[in-house]
Amino acid sequence: MITTIAGTGVFDCRGDGGPAIDAAFGGAISVAVDMASNIYVVDMGCDKVRRISISGIITTVAGDEDTTYSGDGGPATLAGLHQPTGVAVDRTGNVYIADNLSNCIRKVNTSGIISTIAGTGVGGYNGDNIPATSAQTNAPYDVAVDTLGNVYIVEFGDGRVRKVDTAGIITTVAGNGSFFYYADGLPATAIGLFPVVGVAIDGTGNLYISCNYNTSISRDTADQIYKVNASGVIHKIAGTDQGGYSGDGSPATAALLSYPYKTVVDKTGNLYIADAGNNRIRKIDTSGIITTFAGNGVSSFSGDGGPALNCELYWPSGIAFDAFDNMYIADASNERVRLITKVSMGVNELTGIKTLAVYPNPAAKELTITSTNNISSIVICNLLGQTVCTQTYNAEKVQVDVTGFPTGGLLCQDQWYRSEKVDKVVAIRHEQGLSQKEIAGLLEVTKGFIGQVESLKTPSTYSVNHLNRIAYEFKCSVHDLIPSTPIIESDWDLT
């Protein structure tokens, strides 16, 4: 399921200190996630990098909207960035920024202090095997960090991918500054890569390089994805020298891409591509077959609360996974950050009919309920099956104010199909933000408890373990979850 977690769609530079969903971006083009599930967004037009905490609050971590290259040695929020385009986070929480028009790579440490780790501020190329801070870099567009702490830099202006090792020495790992790609199977440093815009690295040391469209230079590498193995040999793995959209269900090497930007690899080795010109996210599985993972190709905004394949994206240029395999998309021209949840968010958990969905989940103030059919009324019950809300509608999408509802699990049912087996969805009511792991755990125990309720007859037989677990996760007492006089409704068939 896809939802929006940040941005209103308005082009602006505002919202710090408040909910990310109410913030405005000036060009959300790249995204990264740290080990604690904080999200980092490159706000290119605002010359900032911003962070969305796990509680959903957005702040600035680097940049003060002054485009002058400045600030090293001081707080990153007072530093000048000039059109940043890429971001990465290492395992210890240091943030790396491709400061594109400043021609350097910046680092923000965990204390919030900024420094330059590569580049002199002058665009160009003056050699390898020297300290990275003495090396010229040419319009760095993307940045990645491997598990050892080596930093990889995409140089858009020079057609190279370079590496800064943990000793601070810079080398070239792909591209030679020329315009032409000669053949597969050559050393990656023996060929030309123009224009290169993205780099990702998997757990075994393979690099994935995105080359974009540019008719004024060369189409040899345009709209294609390349893999450099741990031995330094390069092969094309997706796209042809023609831009377009085709190939789903077939080998990725014969598929057409359009302006591919960032890529990311999941834990099992599948590669995902931000196919920006096609307004889609594409997936290449481990056997080399390409499919569409998200987006229907229409350059617009829609689809929240539904399947990612049916949603509308508009120039998605950045993608990242968190530790729980949820995908974050920098939906650039929509000025939003979207979330595709792999961990189920409570949708269609209790029956096999796929009609009812709820979001956001958990919800603090308002719960949106959607159905593939018109909803005549919604019944919402607490953990014990007690009705806390019944509202009448005639729509496929309704909003329910849950401000006064009890904290904990809620069971929602579409009243339209009361006489039939219907979808029931578990929603979570909570005042504070939860991580994906917490949500998954709450849904699991809540479903188990609600399922148990149907077969129980007296309060004394309720599962203490379930109640204690839910109360612990919600930081409340068991008495907050259970009314004094439980009512079990016989028509909630949860077996």
Side-chain angles (χ1 to χ4, degrees), residues 79-103:
L81 306 176
H82 196 181
Q83 194 173 293
T85 48
V87 64
V89 189
D90 67 19
R91 285 175 173 259
T92 59
N94 299 299
V95 180
Y96 300 84
I97 303 165
D99 196 354
N100 183 256
L101 295 186
S102 294
N103 294 297

Side-chain angles (χ1 to χ4, degrees), residues 371-377 393-397 414 416-417:
S371 174
T372 55
N373 301 288
N374 271 9
I375 298 169
S376 69
S377 64
Y393 306 92
N394 183 20
E396 293 181 357
K397 178 179 178 181
D414 184 345
W416 184 270
Y417 298 102

Side-chain angles (χ1 to χ4, degrees), residues 5-6 20 25 37-39 41 50-54 56-58 337:
I5 62 165
F25 295 101
S37 295
N38 298 296
I39 306 150
V41 184
R50 304 170 79 179
R51 176 173 57 211
I52 304 167
S53 71
I54 59 173
I57 301 301
I58 191 167
V337 178

